[in-house]
Amino acid sequence: MIAAHNTSYLAKLPAGLKFGALLAISIGLYLIPSWQALVVLLIGSLLLLFSARVKFQQLRTALITLLLILSFVFISLGMQTNWENAWVSVLRLLTMCMFAYAVSLTTTFDAMLELFQQVASPLRYVGANPAQISLGLSLAIRFIPELKRVYLEVREAQHARGLANNPLAVAVPLVIRSLRIADDTAEALEARGYDSADKLK
Amino acid sequence: MATATSSQTRNTVYVAIFAAMIAAMGLVPPIVIGIVPVPITLQTLGVMLAGALLGPIRGMLSSLVVVVLALAGLPLLAGGRGGLAVLLGPTGGYLLGWIFGSLVIGVLFKYWVLRQKSQGTRIVTGLLSILLGGIGIIYLFGIPWTSVVTGLDLGTSALGSLAFIPGDLIKAVVATLVAVTVHRSYRGLMR
């Protein structure tokens, strides 16, 4: 779901503008009660995705999951109330998600994260430290492949002991080794004099 | 001041590693039950463990980091999902529930479970805490959210989530046993 090399006109718009527009559209969609209008908007959202040259392959798994949930919603809502109601609800959700995909697929991860950090920046006044927030976010991403490696090692070791199918025998060492990695990383950061003092204060 | 900063850095690193654990658990291929592909993922196991091992604030922040990274576009959620559509869609409430679920588990572990002396009572109280926070609170956000977003009534929305209950119960038991064992061998996680 990352904006992989999207260079369309949508990618050039500032992230804040797209995010704001999405918020406004989402609220607006709930005020529209007619399915005809929603069909028009759905086509509009699809045209937007097409015009931004989004690769629909990226959306495949997300769309399959969404459509499964929506078909469940459609059937139960149709049987409980009426079918027009069900259409309106399903079309609204589909349209909203299409607009959301249009924003997500044309905004780079960096730009989106920067926007979130801007939105969260007033938290500074209640004691949150922006440097620590950035450190936490980037470390979390860095730790994912590290944990995968640890998981494979632990599983191999427990396999040799005949414990590969015991969830506790894998999970407990995995958690403890993760905590060790965290301790080591924190010590390394301190040893290198990592200073997170808020320079904006 | 130096010690304050360093413990802050340590807390940040703990938050990051549990966020990474929640994210990494989404990489494990979803188990498909029955004909309808209901993805049972391990991610809520990570949410439960974050609260139970790190306590309320850091546990909650771990879940929050995953949610923020996923909304920003990283495909961290089960099945490689991510982006803003996840929150706006019918299952967005469960994602918000993670944040409050790990908070509640953290509070209960810090002030109730870890004050129990014997291992047996720790397991019982721990399981109750994780059932309340990891299932109760998450569904408390997820079910009404689905209901509001889709227009389904609460009963149907709750019925739709029943398919996830067996998997969640197993995860709650595993999370409890892991948390109690780790707290015994790795003391002082929540001071």
Side-chain angles (χ1 to χ4, degrees):
Chain A
M1 203 63 70
I2 296 174
H5 315 297
N6 192 301
T7 51
S8 67
Y9 66 97
L10 267 182
K12 293 191 178 75
L13 291 175
L17 187 72
K18 283 183 278 190
F19 192 74
L22 178 65
L23 213 61
I25 288 172
S26 309
I27 295 166
L29 281 172
Y30 279 98
L31 304 174
I32 297 173
S34 91
W35 65 269
Q36 290 93 337
L38 285 168
V39 169
V40 173
L41 282 169
L42 177 61
I43 294 170
S45 68
L46 287 172
L47 286 176
L48 191 70
L49 277 168
F50 271 115
S51 69
R53 282 169 285 136
V54 161
K55 292 190 188 70
F56 275 84
Q57 233 170 349
Q58 279 184 299
L59 285 176
R60 212 186 50 172
T61 41
L63 277 181
I64 292 172
T65 325
L66 182 65
L67 288 176
L68 270 170
I69 298 171
L70 287 185
S71 47
F72 169 79
V73 167
F74 180 71
I75 293 168
S76 28
L77 203 58
M79 291 199 302
Q80 275 177 5
T81 56
N82 59 60
W83 295 102
E84 193 188 329
N85 206 348
W87 271 120
V88 169
S89 177
V90 166
L91 280 170
R92 178 188 294 143
L93 273 173
L94 204 57
T95 312
M96 201 154 70
C97 286
M98 287 302 160
F99 278 115
Y101 291 143
V103 173
S104 285
L105 288 174
T106 59
T107 313
T108 60
F109 174 69
D110 293 339
M112 206 52 130
L113 210 54
E114 201 172 315
L115 175 69
F116 287 170
Q117 283 179 353
Q118 270 171 15
V119 172
S121 63
L123 289 178
R124 199 163 54 231
Y125 302 107
V126 294
N129 183 338
Q132 293 285 347
I133 296 174
S134 310
L135 176 70
L137 292 173
S138 45
L139 272 180
I141 300 171
R142 176 60 192 88
F143 279 144
I144 297 171
E146 185 77 6
L147 283 184
K148 196 184 171 195
R149 190 184 57 77
V150 173
Y151 166 71
L152 292 176
E153 273 178 24
V154 169
R155 206 185 53 170
E156 201 179 341
Q158 300 298 44
H159 193 73
R161 300 186 180 100
L163 294 169
N165 287 324
N166 181 342
L168 282 189
V170 177
V172 172
L174 178 68
V175 170
I176 290 187
R177 286 181 65 171
S178 308
L179 290 169
R180 294 252 161 79
I181 293 174
D183 284 337
D184 290 348
T185 310
E187 262 163 40
L189 280 166
E190 281 161 30
R192 283 161 183 76
Y194 175 76
D195 181 15
S196 66
D198 191 349
K199 293 179 185 67
L200 293 165
K201 259 180 189 166
Chain B
M1 191 59 213
T3 47
T5 316
S6 65
S7 80
Q8 199 182 23
T9 302
R10 183 171 298 262
N11 286 337
T12 306
V13 179
Y14 274 159
V15 166
I17 200 129
F18 271 84
M21 198 181 290
I22 298 171
M25 281 169 172
L27 297 175
V28 180
I31 306 150
V32 176
I33 292 183
I35 318 157
V36 187
V38 178
I40 304 288
T41 67
L42 290 176
Q43 284 191 303
T44 42
L45 180 64
V47 173
M48 293 167 180
L49 283 175
L53 289 170
L54 294 185
I57 305 297
R58 292 178 299 179
M60 177 184 76
L61 288 175
S62 295
S63 298
L64 183 66
V65 164
V66 180
V67 172
V68 166
L69 291 176
L71 291 186
L74 286 190
L76 294 183
L77 303 177
R81 292 177 308 133
L84 296 167
V86 180
L87 189 66
L88 293 177
T91 53
Y94 292 95
L95 211 55
L96 284 185
W98 286 8
I99 299 169
F100 295 96
S102 44
L103 174 73
V104 168
I105 293 175
V107 169
L108 289 171
F109 258 77
K110 189 168 183 181
Y111 298 106
W112 186 36
V113 180
L114 293 184
R115 297 205 172 154
Q116 310 299 319
K117 293 283 174 268
S118 84
Q119 200 71 1
T121 47
R122 277 193 176 189
I123 289 177
V124 174
T125 51
L127 183 62
L128 287 175
S129 310
I130 289 183
L131 288 176
L132 179 71
I135 301 182
I137 299 290
I138 292 179
Y139 283 53
L140 192 68
F141 280 84
I143 293 170
W145 185 285
T146 310
S147 173
V148 168
V149 169
T150 59
L152 283 170
D153 65 67
L154 281 172
T156 317
S157 176
L159 206 66
S161 64
L162 273 185
F164 296 94
I165 290 279
D168 280 347
L169 288 176
I170 296 170
K171 280 181 277 184
V173 172
V174 172
T176 309
L177 295 175
V178 171
V180 170
T181 315
V182 172
H183 272 300
R184 192 174 51 180
S185 54
Y186 214 98
R187 287 173 195 279
L189 268 175
M190 283 186 220
R191 258 170 302 182

